[in-house]
Amino acid sequence: MRIFSRILSATATLAITAATSTSAIAQGSGPDGSPNAVLIRGASIFTGCSPDLIEGQDVFVAGNLISKIGPDLEPPEFATVIEADGRVLIPGLIDAHWHGVFATASIGQLMSTNEGYWNLLTSVAQRDTLYRGFTTVRDTAGPMFDIARATDEGLIEGPRVFPSGPAISQTAGHMDFRTTKDVPATPDKLNPFETSDMFYIADGVPEVLKRVRENLMQGATQIKLMAGGGVTSSYDPIHTMQYTKAELEAAVEQAENWGTYVLTHAINDEAVNHSIDAGVKSVEHGHMSTRETLQRFVDNDVWLSMQPFLDDVDAPALNEFQKAKYKFVTDGTDFVYKTAKELGVKIAFGTDTLFSADLARRQGAQLAKLQRWFTPYEALKMATCDNAELLKLSGPLTPYPMGPLGVIEEGAYADMILVDGNPLENLDLVGDPENSFDIIMKDGVIYKNTVD
Ligand SMILES: [Zn+2]
């Protein structure tokens, strides 16, 4: 249902913008034909992919796409005109490892409530994410199909969502959040968290294939499997490898049959290699990877979707078992970022915030933290142009087929932020969206405007 409706809405938008996207502004659709026309005048543009700021540019948005970029554009009379006054216009930010449902809810809230409450809480989390300047997220586990649909339909405010749906985990794996009272389990006895699409437990090739297909049926744009030990889970020491080669390969083959790919949670080096061997295209975390393994990312054209996890203010609240596991992660962060950068690994930016509204508020600050290893340009490019490249791996399953994301260019989706200051000189600005982001636009719609 969801895919159908998302395609329908894309088609409707296509009809609205067809008249404007290929023609000059003067021939742009009139007030009767277009729901939206905005001219941002006199901006310095960071395109997402190039280190140079292009100064003195006007950007004309027709419908939900960027229609024209150039100096001294003449807007049609009906256009909303925003004077940028030399402020810097950047593409909307992308978080490649986000959990809409889990980011802000505490475990206590999730355990004591049902889907209705989760959805209300997540709709607030969606809105807050958008107002931090994140206009697209790749959701890497959780019951997000309906939230993604509601966002696209305009029922709620929020970023575009590339949903993975419920993460698929083996018994005792990283997403097995059942209690020991749930075992021994039988196929007819599902945990309530499984039936509410929080996670799916699947053991053996047939079960893995079934769950992968069920996620595709519901609108997954990529498939997430747990391939090794994680921090917040209860039954899996950090060193564990999860899923057999046959199980991972079956998931990869099924995803590829649908034109998309598998991403895996893999922190320890063996799990990372196991994933690469199976044909996984995006390895999440990878904090214990060796130099040889990182070279394999380059050789096999695999994305490293890593988080700036350190033992600092952004460390999550953990019990002793989890803390011991987290140390393996934080100990690896510095080496892996430095080495991956040196070797030319494709690195995605994602935050993987879990169970804390306070930490979620620091989504942009996490991006600014990349300054330890990257220039502001490299970090900003990662969260825009590069993350958008990663999203392209969803191929024909993308919910947003009309133009590129993560860039400012003619024909791209009009997802942009007008920054009061130059983030290429001061990346800390993205960590303070409330004061630094004067305009937040997604899909051609202005959500925030403090310019006037
Ligand atoms: Zn995650």
Side-chain angles (χ1 to χ4, degrees):
M1 269 310 284
R2 182 160 161 271
I3 290 182
F4 185 55
S5 106
R6 288 183 114 186
I7 289 171
L8 265 187
S9 77
T11 311
T13 320
L14 186 63
I16 290 164
T17 52
T20 63
S21 58
T22 55
S23 53
I25 285 180
Q27 297 161 321
S29 51
D32 47 339
S34 168
N36 193 40
V38 178
L39 184 81
I40 301 173
R41 188 145 59 192
S44 295
I45 297 177
F46 166 63
T47 64
C49 307
S50 152
D52 305 315
L53 274 189
I54 313 168
E55 293 176 4
Q57 297 297 300
D58 297 353
V59 179
F60 182 66
V61 173
N64 62 344
L65 300 179
I66 297 171
S67 166
K68 198 152 184 70
I69 301 175
D72 304 319
L73 299 184
E74 286 296 327
E77 258 174 41
F78 57 88
T80 302
V81 178
I82 293 166
E83 300 292 346
D85 276 332
R87 289 181 184 83
V88 176
L89 194 64
I90 67 173
L93 303 171
I94 301 171
D95 191 326
H97 193 117
W98 184 246
H99 300 285
V101 179
F102 306 140
T104 62
S106 69
I107 290 182
Q109 277 174 313
L110 293 172
M111 299 293 275
S112 61
T113 55
N114 292 304
E115 290 101 308
Y117 186 85
W118 303 343
N119 286 335
L120 291 170
L121 206 62
T122 306
S123 78
V124 174
Q126 276 287 92
R127 184 196 66 203
D128 292 347
T129 303
L130 177 62
Y131 283 78
R132 287 191 290 267
F134 285 83
T135 51
T136 302
V137 296
R138 186 178 62 156
D139 197 277
T140 51
M144 280 294 282
F145 295 128
D146 289 344
I147 291 287
R149 173 177 174 165
T151 308
D152 285 349
E153 291 177 353
L155 284 177
I156 60 172
E157 295 180 352
R160 305 173 189 281
V161 181
F162 283 73
S164 308
I168 299 167
S169 169
Q170 68 165 65
T171 292
H174 177 51
M175 204 73 201
D176 190 346
F177 280 86
R178 299 173 300 176
T179 73
T180 50
K181 298 283 180 215
D182 289 308
V183 294
T186 56
D188 59 331
K189 194 177 121 195
L190 292 173
N191 179 282
F193 286 113
E194 291 178 86
T195 50
S196 55
D197 296 334
M198 276 284 195
F199 55 78
Y200 290 158
I201 303 298
D203 295 295
V205 169
E207 278 191 27
V208 168
L209 284 175
K210 188 178 179 66
R211 297 308 185 208
V212 169
R213 289 166 182 161
E214 285 171 350
N215 274 343
L216 291 167
M217 177 184 174
Q218 295 178 89
T221 50
Q222 63 285 321
I223 295 296
K224 172 81 179 287
L225 266 77
M226 300 307 193
V231 173
T232 51
S233 37
S234 302
Y235 315 114
D236 57 333
I238 198 79
H239 71 273
T240 54
M241 277 170 68
Q242 297 169 20
Y243 280 126
T244 62
K245 190 155 183 276
E247 288 169 318
L248 281 183
E249 282 178 347
V252 167
E253 184 182 2
Q254 179 56 54
E256 288 179 352
N257 285 349
W258 247 237
T260 186
Y261 67 102
V262 167
L263 61 152
T264 51
H265 165 101
I267 293 171
N268 74 61
D269 193 55
E270 292 77 12
V272 172
N273 278 291
H274 199 204
S275 297
I276 295 174
D277 289 344
V280 166
K281 282 295 160 203
S282 175
V283 171
E284 307 303 300
H285 318 307
H287 290 72
M288 294 169 71
S289 301
T290 63
R291 186 182 184 88
E292 293 68 38
T293 301
L294 290 168
Q295 183 58 47
R296 293 196 68 206
F297 279 83
V298 179
D299 299 342
N300 292 274
D301 200 21
V302 175
W303 283 83
L304 172 65
S305 170
M306 196 172 158
Q307 295 70 45
F309 289 142
L310 296 169
D311 186 12
D312 63 5
V313 289
D314 297 316
L318 300 169
N319 64 34
E320 290 308 311
F321 175 60
Q322 295 167 332
K323 262 186 206 159
K325 298 203 277 185
Y326 190 59
K327 190 166 185 328
F328 284 101
V329 175
T330 54
D331 281 356
T333 301
D334 193 60
F335 169 80
V336 173
Y337 267 137
K338 279 183 183 158
T339 311
K341 176 177 172 174
E342 180 199 327
L343 296 175
V345 176
K346 287 181 179 173
I347 310 171
F349 166 74
T351 55
D352 195 22
T353 300
L354 289 172
F355 314 129
S356 166
D358 286 340
L359 287 182
R361 270 191 281 279
R362 290 183 46 78
Q363 194 173 14
Q366 300 272 12
L367 175 56
K369 195 186 288 185
L370 292 187
Q371 290 172 100
R372 282 167 173 258
W373 306 281
F374 301 95
T375 65
Y377 162 63
E378 289 167 338
L380 265 187
K381 176 170 173 280
M382 208 185 284
T384 54
C385 181
D386 294 348
N387 273 358
E389 272 306 305
L390 167 60
L391 295 177
K392 283 183 190 165
L393 293 182
S394 289
L397 298 192
T398 181
Y400 312 108
M402 291 175 58
L405 294 166
V407 294
I408 297 181
E409 63 182 43
E410 291 179 5
Y413 280 105
D415 297 355
M416 297 182 283
I417 306 168
L418 191 64
V419 186
D420 188 12
N422 184 356
L424 293 175
E425 287 170 0
N426 178 14
L427 192 60
D428 290 336
L429 292 169
V430 302
D432 184 19
E434 211 164 304
N435 294 308
S436 304
F437 292 172
D438 286 343
I439 299 270
I440 296 175
M441 173 186 279
K442 189 202 97 181
D443 214 35
V445 177
I446 298 168
Y447 287 89
K448 176 183 178 186
N449 181 0
T450 60
V451 168
D452 303 326

